[in-house]
Amino acid sequence: MPSCHPCRTPVEPGAKLTSHGPPVKDLTLYRSLAGALQYLTFTRLDILYDIQQICLFMHDPREQHMHALKRIIRYIQGTTDLGLQLYASSPSTLVAYSNADWAGYPSTRCSTSGYCVFLGNNLLSWSSKRQLTSYRSSGKAEYRGVANVIAETC
């Protein structure tokens, strides 16, 4: 898609992927593109969550998933100058950030938590994953996210 029109965002605002709709015509192409984009997430953290959502449907992709995947490619086409920057600096401080999306996954109502850990100006570690249980409050989802980043920092 070298001559595609770039997008300003990797996904449509408020869009949620479901398992409904017609299946993808070329399953191999979908899996190949999704797999290739997974490697790009090592340096493009801005698409990490979006690629994770695409890969949730790797076993049974639908046309809406292929459209979402193509939109991510269009976003990448317009933002080729973005990416993970590594700086030569003396590591002085260890800083960790955590966040959670309470009950954000519509079919299971499970939360998604994520964190990132910096040493100086350089990103050391990051994670974004769907939690296995649904919590009754956003506080418990946030607590689980904080517990994950503390374990990673230790």
Side-chain angles (χ1 to χ4, degrees):
M1 297 174 56
S3 62
C4 67
H5 295 288
C7 291
R8 295 182 64 107
T9 59
V11 294
E12 293 181 32
K16 296 283 185 179
L17 297 176
T18 64
S19 57
H20 304 295
V24 169
K25 293 178 182 84
D26 189 353
L27 187 60
T28 305
L29 176 63
Y30 180 86
R31 289 179 176 166
S32 175
L33 288 172
L37 288 175
Q38 281 184 310
Y39 285 106
L40 190 57
T41 62
F42 290 133
T43 58
R44 292 291 303 264
L45 301 178
D46 54 333
I47 61 169
L48 189 62
Y49 178 77
D50 307 314
I51 299 302
Q52 181 262 340
Q53 291 296 306
I54 291 294
C55 291
L56 287 175
F57 300 97
M58 193 81 84
H59 64 284
D60 187 24
R62 302 296 172 162
E63 283 298 320
Q64 67 170 316
H65 307 137
M66 182 60 108
H67 291 300
L69 195 141
K70 286 181 180 179
R71 183 178 174 103
I72 294 170
I73 293 172
R74 290 174 49 213
Y75 170 75
I76 293 167
Q77 181 70 19
T79 58
T80 55
D81 57 335
L82 297 180
L84 182 62
Q85 301 293 318
L86 299 176
Y87 302 98
S89 65
S90 60
S92 57
T93 59
L94 186 66
V95 179
Y97 299 97
S98 172
N99 197 4
D101 175 21
W102 177 59
Y105 194 68
S107 62
T108 62
R109 305 306 295 165
C110 288
S111 302
T112 303
S113 64
Y115 65 81
C116 56
V117 179
F118 290 87
L119 182 60
N121 294 329
N122 295 309
L123 182 65
L124 284 183
S125 176
W126 66 89
S127 174
S128 175
K129 71 180 225 175
R130 186 172 31 163
Q131 296 174 0
L132 299 176
T133 59
S134 62
Y135 297 108
R136 298 177 105 186
S137 70
S138 62
K140 286 190 178 188
E142 292 280 349
Y143 175 76
R144 191 73 216 134
V146 169
N148 289 338
V149 76
I150 289 172
E152 179 69 17
T153 305
C154 290

